[in-house]
Amino acid sequence: MDRLRQRADFLAVANGARANSAAFVVQGRCRDDDGPIRIGFTVTKKNGTATERNRIRRRLRELVKRLDVIPMRPHHDYVLVGRRAALHRDFTTMLDDLRQALLRLDRQPAKVAKALPNEGATGSRQDNASKTPR
């Protein structure tokens, strides 16, 4: 398993499927390449001070280390977004929550990018003028 480190990768996964838990949110996205499973961890500033956020992040990393790789799909990216409850939640409960969240992610259909109604049209005056007969 590799780690997600670039912001663009985190944003791409944010548009994918998600599953909520009391201590975290799991986001997932299928990639088109043949690379390994990649995992990212993030905790927002509203979850506490830097030491608390780091502790949440460390607990999430340890969850993934102890999790068997079977519930994770190959060629997928996952992001765990930590919540404040991850500070005090029982570790075995969080491990079960992660397994259940990954199963829920698999059952969700993949999001399809919505097409714009005027796909291919640039909307410039020149384009509109050339379309109207004179």
mmCIF file with all atom_site columns, all heavy atoms in Angstrom, residues 115-132:
data_model
loop_
_atom_site.group_PDB
_atom_site.id
_atom_site.type_symbol
_atom_site.label_atom_id
_atom_site.label_alt_id
_atom_site.label_comp_id
_atom_site.label_asym_id
_atom_site.label_entity_id
_atom_site.label_seq_id
_atom_site.pdbx_PDB_ins_code
_atom_site.Cartn_x
_atom_site.Cartn_y
_atom_site.Cartn_z
_atom_site.occupancy
_atom_site.B_iso_or_equiv
_atom_site.pdbx_formal_charge
_atom_site.auth_seq_id
_atom_site.auth_comp_id
_atom_site.auth_asym_id
_atom_site.auth_atom_id
_atom_site.pdbx_PDB_model_num
ATOM 1   N N   . ALA A 1 115 ? -22.734 15.572 -17.214 1.00 0.00 ? 115 ALA A N   1
ATOM 2   C CA  . ALA A 1 115 ? -22.440 16.325 -18.433 1.00 0.00 ? 115 ALA A CA  1
ATOM 3   C C   . ALA A 1 115 ? -23.182 17.651 -18.394 1.00 0.00 ? 115 ALA A C   1
ATOM 4   O O   . ALA A 1 115 ? -24.303 17.748 -17.903 1.00 0.00 ? 115 ALA A O   1
ATOM 5   C CB  . ALA A 1 115 ? -22.868 15.523 -19.652 1.00 0.00 ? 115 ALA A CB  1
ATOM 6   N N   . LEU A 1 116 ? -22.546 18.667 -18.906 1.00 0.00 ? 116 LEU A N   1
ATOM 7   C CA  . LEU A 1 116 ? -23.181 19.974 -18.982 1.00 0.00 ? 116 LEU A CA  1
ATOM 8   C C   . LEU A 1 116 ? -24.249 19.952 -20.072 1.00 0.00 ? 116 LEU A C   1
ATOM 9   O O   . LEU A 1 116 ? -24.112 19.243 -21.071 1.00 0.00 ? 116 LEU A O   1
ATOM 10  C CB  . LEU A 1 116 ? -22.135 21.045 -19.287 1.00 0.00 ? 116 LEU A CB  1
ATOM 11  C CG  . LEU A 1 116 ? -21.061 21.234 -18.221 1.00 0.00 ? 116 LEU A CG  1
ATOM 12  C CD1 . LEU A 1 116 ? -20.004 22.211 -18.716 1.00 0.00 ? 116 LEU A CD1 1
ATOM 13  C CD2 . LEU A 1 116 ? -21.682 21.736 -16.943 1.00 0.00 ? 116 LEU A CD2 1
ATOM 14  N N   . PRO A 1 117 ? -25.325 20.737 -19.943 1.00 0.00 ? 117 PRO A N   1
ATOM 15  C CA  . PRO A 1 117 ? -26.384 20.708 -20.948 1.00 0.00 ? 117 PRO A CA  1
ATOM 16  C C   . PRO A 1 117 ? -25.904 21.155 -22.326 1.00 0.00 ? 117 PRO A C   1
ATOM 17  O O   . PRO A 1 117 ? -26.354 20.646 -23.323 1.00 0.00 ? 117 PRO A O   1
ATOM 18  C CB  . PRO A 1 117 ? -27.455 21.653 -20.401 1.00 0.00 ? 117 PRO A CB  1
ATOM 19  C CG  . PRO A 1 117 ? -26.855 22.345 -19.242 1.00 0.00 ? 117 PRO A CG  1
ATOM 20  C CD  . PRO A 1 117 ? -25.617 21.616 -18.845 1.00 0.00 ? 117 PRO A CD  1
ATOM 21  N N   . ASN A 1 118 ? -24.978 22.100 -22.409 1.00 0.00 ? 118 ASN A N   1
ATOM 22  C CA  . ASN A 1 118 ? -24.459 22.581 -23.687 1.00 0.00 ? 118 ASN A CA  1
ATOM 23  C C   . ASN A 1 118 ? -23.041 22.078 -23.886 1.00 0.00 ? 118 ASN A C   1
ATOM 24  O O   . ASN A 1 118 ? -22.119 22.841 -24.097 1.00 0.00 ? 118 ASN A O   1
ATOM 25  C CB  . ASN A 1 118 ? -24.467 24.118 -23.735 1.00 0.00 ? 118 ASN A CB  1
ATOM 26  C CG  . ASN A 1 118 ? -25.872 24.652 -23.710 1.00 0.00 ? 118 ASN A CG  1
ATOM 27  O OD1 . ASN A 1 118 ? -26.787 23.988 -24.170 1.00 0.00 ? 118 ASN A OD1 1
ATOM 28  N ND2 . ASN A 1 118 ? -26.040 25.831 -23.152 1.00 0.00 ? 118 ASN A ND2 1
ATOM 29  N N   . GLU A 1 119 ? -22.884 20.784 -23.800 1.00 0.00 ? 119 GLU A N   1
ATOM 30  C CA  . GLU A 1 119 ? -21.549 20.223 -23.894 1.00 0.00 ? 119 GLU A CA  1
ATOM 31  C C   . GLU A 1 119 ? -20.962 20.502 -25.269 1.00 0.00 ? 119 GLU A C   1
ATOM 32  O O   . GLU A 1 119 ? -21.592 20.304 -26.294 1.00 0.00 ? 119 GLU A O   1
ATOM 33  C CB  . GLU A 1 119 ? -21.608 18.719 -23.656 1.00 0.00 ? 119 GLU A CB  1
ATOM 34  C CG  . GLU A 1 119 ? -20.255 18.109 -23.463 1.00 0.00 ? 119 GLU A CG  1
ATOM 35  C CD  . GLU A 1 119 ? -20.377 16.673 -23.022 1.00 0.00 ? 119 GLU A CD  1
ATOM 36  O OE1 . GLU A 1 119 ? -21.064 16.422 -22.026 1.00 0.00 ? 119 GLU A OE1 1
ATOM 37  O OE2 . GLU A 1 119 ? -19.794 15.821 -23.688 1.00 0.00 ? 119 GLU A OE2 1
ATOM 38  N N   . GLY A 1 120 ? -19.750 20.993 -25.302 1.00 0.00 ? 120 GLY A N   1
ATOM 39  C CA  . GLY A 1 120 ? -19.088 21.301 -26.553 1.00 0.00 ? 120 GLY A CA  1
ATOM 40  C C   . GLY A 1 120 ? -19.278 22.736 -27.001 1.00 0.00 ? 120 GLY A C   1
ATOM 41  O O   . GLY A 1 120 ? -18.554 23.231 -27.839 1.00 0.00 ? 120 GLY A O   1
ATOM 42  N N   . ALA A 1 121 ? -20.250 23.438 -26.473 1.00 0.00 ? 121 ALA A N   1
ATOM 43  C CA  . ALA A 1 121 ? -20.479 24.833 -26.852 1.00 0.00 ? 121 ALA A CA  1
ATOM 44  C C   . ALA A 1 121 ? -19.635 25.733 -25.970 1.00 0.00 ? 121 ALA A C   1
ATOM 45  O O   . ALA A 1 121 ? -19.565 25.552 -24.764 1.00 0.00 ? 121 ALA A O   1
ATOM 46  C CB  . ALA A 1 121 ? -21.953 25.183 -26.699 1.00 0.00 ? 121 ALA A CB  1
ATOM 47  N N   . THR A 1 122 ? -19.000 26.697 -26.578 1.00 0.00 ? 122 THR A N   1
ATOM 48  C CA  . THR A 1 122 ? -18.163 27.607 -25.803 1.00 0.00 ? 122 THR A CA  1
ATOM 49  C C   . THR A 1 122 ? -18.950 28.803 -25.312 1.00 0.00 ? 122 THR A C   1
ATOM 50  O O   . THR A 1 122 ? -18.571 29.439 -24.356 1.00 0.00 ? 122 THR A O   1
ATOM 51  C CB  . THR A 1 122 ? -16.972 28.101 -26.646 1.00 0.00 ? 122 THR A CB  1
ATOM 52  O OG1 . THR A 1 122 ? -17.474 28.753 -27.808 1.00 0.00 ? 122 THR A OG1 1
ATOM 53  C CG2 . THR A 1 122 ? -16.090 26.935 -27.030 1.00 0.00 ? 122 THR A CG2 1
ATOM 54  N N   . GLY A 1 123 ? -20.038 29.105 -25.979 1.00 0.00 ? 123 GLY A N   1
ATOM 55  C CA  . GLY A 1 123 ? -20.880 30.195 -25.516 1.00 0.00 ? 123 GLY A CA  1
ATOM 56  C C   . GLY A 1 123 ? -20.422 31.563 -25.971 1.00 0.00 ? 123 GLY A C   1
ATOM 57  O O   . GLY A 1 123 ? -20.925 32.576 -25.492 1.00 0.00 ? 123 GLY A O   1
ATOM 58  N N   . SER A 1 124 ? -19.483 31.656 -26.888 1.00 0.00 ? 124 SER A N   1
ATOM 59  C CA  . SER A 1 124 ? -19.020 32.968 -27.327 1.00 0.00 ? 124 SER A CA  1
ATOM 60  C C   . SER A 1 124 ? -19.997 33.547 -28.349 1.00 0.00 ? 124 SER A C   1
ATOM 61  O O   . SER A 1 124 ? -20.769 32.840 -28.985 1.00 0.00 ? 124 SER A O   1
ATOM 62  C CB  . SER A 1 124 ? -17.619 32.876 -27.922 1.00 0.00 ? 124 SER A CB  1
ATOM 63  O OG  . SER A 1 124 ? -17.662 32.170 -29.135 1.00 0.00 ? 124 SER A OG  1
ATOM 64  N N   . ARG A 1 125 ? -19.945 34.842 -28.533 1.00 0.00 ? 125 ARG A N   1
ATOM 65  C CA  . ARG A 1 125 ? -20.844 35.512 -29.481 1.00 0.00 ? 125 ARG A CA  1
ATOM 66  C C   . ARG A 1 125 ? -20.554 35.086 -30.912 1.00 0.00 ? 125 ARG A C   1
ATOM 67  O O   . ARG A 1 125 ? -21.457 34.953 -31.710 1.00 0.00 ? 125 ARG A O   1
ATOM 68  C CB  . ARG A 1 125 ? -20.712 37.029 -29.357 1.00 0.00 ? 125 ARG A CB  1
ATOM 69  C CG  . ARG A 1 125 ? -21.338 37.549 -28.107 1.00 0.00 ? 125 ARG A CG  1
ATOM 70  C CD  . ARG A 1 125 ? -21.318 39.052 -28.112 1.00 0.00 ? 125 ARG A CD  1
ATOM 71  N NE  . ARG A 1 125 ? -21.878 39.545 -26.871 1.00 0.00 ? 125 ARG A NE  1
ATOM 72  C CZ  . ARG A 1 125 ? -22.057 40.801 -26.628 1.00 0.00 ? 125 ARG A CZ  1
ATOM 73  N NH1 . ARG A 1 125 ? -21.700 41.717 -27.496 1.00 0.00 ? 125 ARG A NH1 1
ATOM 74  N NH2 . ARG A 1 125 ? -22.582 41.187 -25.503 1.00 0.00 ? 125 ARG A NH2 1
ATOM 75  N N   . GLN A 1 126 ? -19.288 34.879 -31.207 1.00 0.00 ? 126 GLN A N   1
ATOM 76  C CA  . GLN A 1 126 ? -18.932 34.462 -32.551 1.00 0.00 ? 126 GLN A CA  1
ATOM 77  C C   . GLN A 1 126 ? -19.554 33.112 -32.885 1.00 0.00 ? 126 GLN A C   1
ATOM 78  O O   . GLN A 1 126 ? -20.065 32.904 -33.966 1.00 0.00 ? 126 GLN A O   1
ATOM 79  C CB  . GLN A 1 126 ? -17.422 34.378 -32.707 1.00 0.00 ? 126 GLN A CB  1
ATOM 80  C CG  . GLN A 1 126 ? -16.829 35.548 -33.387 1.00 0.00 ? 126 GLN A CG  1
ATOM 81  C CD  . GLN A 1 126 ? -15.319 35.350 -33.601 1.00 0.00 ? 126 GLN A CD  1
ATOM 82  O OE1 . GLN A 1 126 ? -14.719 34.479 -32.988 1.00 0.00 ? 126 GLN A OE1 1
ATOM 83  N NE2 . GLN A 1 126 ? -14.757 36.162 -34.449 1.00 0.00 ? 126 GLN A NE2 1
ATOM 84  N N   . ASP A 1 127 ? -19.475 32.177 -31.933 1.00 0.00 ? 127 ASP A N   1
ATOM 85  C CA  . ASP A 1 127 ? -20.053 30.849 -32.165 1.00 0.00 ? 127 ASP A CA  1
ATOM 86  C C   . ASP A 1 127 ? -21.562 30.958 -32.365 1.00 0.00 ? 127 ASP A C   1
ATOM 87  O O   . ASP A 1 127 ? -22.132 30.326 -33.247 1.00 0.00 ? 127 ASP A O   1
ATOM 88  C CB  . ASP A 1 127 ? -19.780 29.916 -30.998 1.00 0.00 ? 127 ASP A CB  1
ATOM 89  C CG  . ASP A 1 127 ? -18.336 29.478 -30.939 1.00 0.00 ? 127 ASP A CG  1
ATOM 90  O OD1 . ASP A 1 127 ? -17.643 29.625 -31.971 1.00 0.00 ? 127 ASP A OD1 1
ATOM 91  O OD2 . ASP A 1 127 ? -17.904 28.987 -29.882 1.00 0.00 ? 127 ASP A OD2 1
ATOM 92  N N   . ASN A 1 128 ? -22.214 31.768 -31.539 1.00 0.00 ? 128 ASN A N   1
ATOM 93  C CA  . ASN A 1 128 ? -23.658 31.922 -31.659 1.00 0.00 ? 128 ASN A CA  1
ATOM 94  C C   . ASN A 1 128 ? -24.030 32.616 -32.973 1.00 0.00 ? 128 ASN A C   1
ATOM 95  O O   . ASN A 1 128 ? -25.031 32.297 -33.590 1.00 0.00 ? 128 ASN A O   1
ATOM 96  C CB  . ASN A 1 128 ? -24.212 32.710 -30.474 1.00 0.00 ? 128 ASN A CB  1
ATOM 97  C CG  . ASN A 1 128 ? -24.119 31.897 -29.194 1.00 0.00 ? 128 ASN A CG  1
ATOM 98  O OD1 . ASN A 1 128 ? -24.060 30.679 -29.222 1.00 0.00 ? 128 ASN A OD1 1
ATOM 99  N ND2 . ASN A 1 128 ? -24.080 32.589 -28.075 1.00 0.00 ? 128 ASN A ND2 1
ATOM 100 N N   . ALA A 1 129 ? -23.230 33.586 -33.404 1.00 0.00 ? 129 ALA A N   1
ATOM 101 C CA  . ALA A 1 129 ? -23.532 34.303 -34.645 1.00 0.00 ? 129 ALA A CA  1
ATOM 102 C C   . ALA A 1 129 ? -23.362 33.380 -35.850 1.00 0.00 ? 129 ALA A C   1
ATOM 103 O O   . ALA A 1 129 ? -24.101 33.482 -36.817 1.00 0.00 ? 129 ALA A O   1
ATOM 104 C CB  . ALA A 1 129 ? -22.614 35.517 -34.776 1.00 0.00 ? 129 ALA A CB  1
ATOM 105 N N   . SER A 1 130 ? -22.394 32.479 -35.797 1.00 0.00 ? 130 SER A N   1
ATOM 106 C CA  . SER A 1 130 ? -22.182 31.599 -36.936 1.00 0.00 ? 130 SER A CA  1
ATOM 107 C C   . SER A 1 130 ? -23.249 30.521 -37.023 1.00 0.00 ? 130 SER A C   1
ATOM 108 O O   . SER A 1 130 ? -23.471 29.953 -38.082 1.00 0.00 ? 130 SER A O   1
ATOM 109 C CB  . SER A 1 130 ? -20.799 30.953 -36.848 1.00 0.00 ? 130 SER A CB  1
ATOM 110 O OG  . SER A 1 130 ? -20.743 30.114 -35.730 1.00 0.00 ? 130 SER A OG  1
ATOM 111 N N   . LYS A 1 131 ? -23.963 30.266 -35.945 1.00 0.00 ? 131 LYS A N   1
ATOM 112 C CA  . LYS A 1 131 ? -24.992 29.230 -35.958 1.00 0.00 ? 131 LYS A CA  1
ATOM 113 C C   . LYS A 1 131 ? -26.319 29.755 -36.505 1.00 0.00 ? 131 LYS A C   1
ATOM 114 O O   . LYS A 1 131 ? -27.117 28.981 -36.994 1.00 0.00 ? 131 LYS A O   1
ATOM 115 C CB  . LYS A 1 131 ? -25.202 28.695 -34.535 1.00 0.00 ? 131 LYS A CB  1
ATOM 116 C CG  . LYS A 1 131 ? -24.042 27.875 -34.032 1.00 0.00 ? 131 LYS A CG  1
ATOM 117 C CD  . LYS A 1 131 ? -24.300 27.402 -32.630 1.00 0.00 ? 131 LYS A CD  1
ATOM 118 C CE  . LYS A 1 131 ? -23.085 26.693 -32.070 1.00 0.00 ? 131 LYS A CE  1
ATOM 119 N NZ  . LYS A 1 131 ? -23.265 26.302 -30.700 1.00 0.00 ? 131 LYS A NZ  1
ATOM 120 N N   . THR A 1 132 ? -26.549 31.041 -36.369 1.00 0.00 ? 132 THR A N   1
ATOM 121 C CA  . THR A 1 132 ? -27.834 31.571 -36.818 1.00 0.00 ? 132 THR A CA  1
ATOM 122 C C   . THR A 1 132 ? -27.765 31.898 -38.319 1.00 0.00 ? 132 THR A C   1
ATOM 123 O O   . THR A 1 132 ? -26.789 32.469 -38.800 1.00 0.00 ? 132 THR A O   1
ATOM 124 C CB  . THR A 1 132 ? -28.185 32.867 -36.049 1.00 0.00 ? 132 THR A CB  1
ATOM 125 O OG1 . THR A 1 132 ? -27.125 33.803 -36.222 1.00 0.00 ? 132 THR A OG1 1
ATOM 126 C CG2 . THR A 1 132 ? -28.386 32.574 -34.581 1.00 0.00 ? 132 THR A CG2 1
#
